[in-house]
Amino acid sequence: MTDKAFRQLTMRITLALIVCLASRILSANLSWYPGFLDNRPFTVRTTRFLCTGHPQYCRIDVCKLKLHRNGSSTISFRAIFPEPLQPVYGAMKIWYKTNVNVWRPLLGIDEWGDICQFLGATENKFTMMQVIYSHTLKQMMPNVSLTCPLQGSIEYKDFTYYDYMFPPFLPAGNYRNDITLLTPNNHTILALQYYGTVRAKGIFDLSMG
């Protein structure tokens, strides 16, 4: 095994251990990451935000990313669901881009499920990723109670992903988060793509590429 291959394998094993640790921490259902300081050894930036909706089910009024030179980027979103939708299914997948410019699934993080059940469930029944998404939704829309059927407007304005919202240890590199809402017939209602970078602080290269 070459040094590069060994390094890649080591980083993947390390990330797998981090994911397992985070899932056990989050199962306590206390806060983002109990027991860890908010400071992270990396910086997260959202670099691109894309939205597409099927005109029969969803109209997108706002899909915007603002890049700030000396601070975190902000995203704004507004969609209208003209007719009540239930049931609604959701798919979520996270990708990592290697140094050879290839997107690869991140450790099998590929969720699929009933969104209405997710919105109505308590966090002690969630997977690790579902807990993270539940916390993020509460940060995005703190005064909105999302329920089914989905109808009317859903929006957030100038939302920022801060470093402390992510696991305490995260390999540097480029990430993509795909989120899709689907009808029971597998028709796409709404598709979102969040692109971001994780950059290590200091002189260490923590990438998996």
Side-chain angles (χ1 to χ4, degrees):
M1 180 181 293
T2 65
D3 289 343
K4 182 177 180 181
F6 178 76
R7 183 165 168 268
Q8 290 176 342
L9 177 62
T10 300
M11 290 304 302
R12 287 189 173 92
I13 293 173
T14 300
L15 183 57
L17 292 174
I18 291 168
V19 170
C20 291
L21 173 63
S23 65
R24 301 184 74 173
I25 293 171
L26 285 169
S27 65
N29 194 27
L30 298 174
S31 63
W32 278 97
Y33 293 94
F36 290 94
L37 298 175
D38 284 349
N39 292 331
R40 296 289 186 259
F42 54 78
T43 298
V44 176
R45 291 287 183 274
T46 304
T47 57
R48 194 180 182 195
F49 179 44
L50 302 178
C51 319
T52 56
H54 193 294
Q56 180 180 345
Y57 307 111
C58 175
R59 185 183 81 239
I60 298 173
D61 289 343
V62 178
C63 180
K64 183 170 60 175
L65 170 72
K66 282 185 181 179
L67 297 174
H68 301 280
R69 177 180 296 179
N70 297 318
S72 299
S73 53
T74 58
I75 54 176
S76 298
F77 172 79
R78 175 180 168 86
I80 307 294
F81 300 92
E83 301 292 336
L85 295 171
Q86 187 174 6
V88 178
Y89 295 94
M92 185 279 295
K93 194 164 188 173
I94 296 180
W95 302 80
Y96 180 87
K97 182 182 282 188
T98 67
N99 288 343
V100 293
N101 208 34
V102 175
W103 287 106
R104 299 186 186 278
L106 183 63
L107 290 176
I109 298 178
D110 190 353
E111 299 264 335
W112 186 91
D114 188 321
I115 293 296
C116 294
Q117 289 184 4
F118 168 75
L119 294 176
T122 57
E123 287 190 359
N124 61 1
K125 298 183 181 296
F126 288 165
T127 66
M128 179 200 70
M129 293 306 302
Q130 287 172 341
V131 171
I132 293 175
Y133 277 88
S134 176
H135 286 188
T136 302
L137 284 174
K138 290 176 182 177
Q139 291 277 331
M140 284 178 164
M141 297 172 283
N143 301 317
V144 177
S145 178
L146 292 175
T147 58
C148 282
L150 288 182
Q151 188 174 18
S153 65
I154 294 179
E155 65 179 313
Y156 48 87
K157 185 177 181 181
D158 295 331
F159 177 77
T160 297
Y161 281 102
Y162 292 104
D163 300 345
Y164 72 84
M165 296 178 178
F166 297 86
F169 308 100
L170 195 63
N174 297 304
Y175 291 82
R176 190 183 90 211
N177 187 0
D178 295 350
I179 300 175
T180 307
L181 300 186
L182 302 158
T183 69
N185 295 326
N186 210 35
H187 296 159
T188 297
I189 300 171
L190 173 67
L192 306 174
Q193 282 190 329
Y194 300 82
Y195 292 78
T197 62
V198 174
R199 295 290 177 258
K201 296 177 181 177
I203 61 174
F204 299 102
D205 178 9
L206 302 177
S207 69
M208 294 189 299

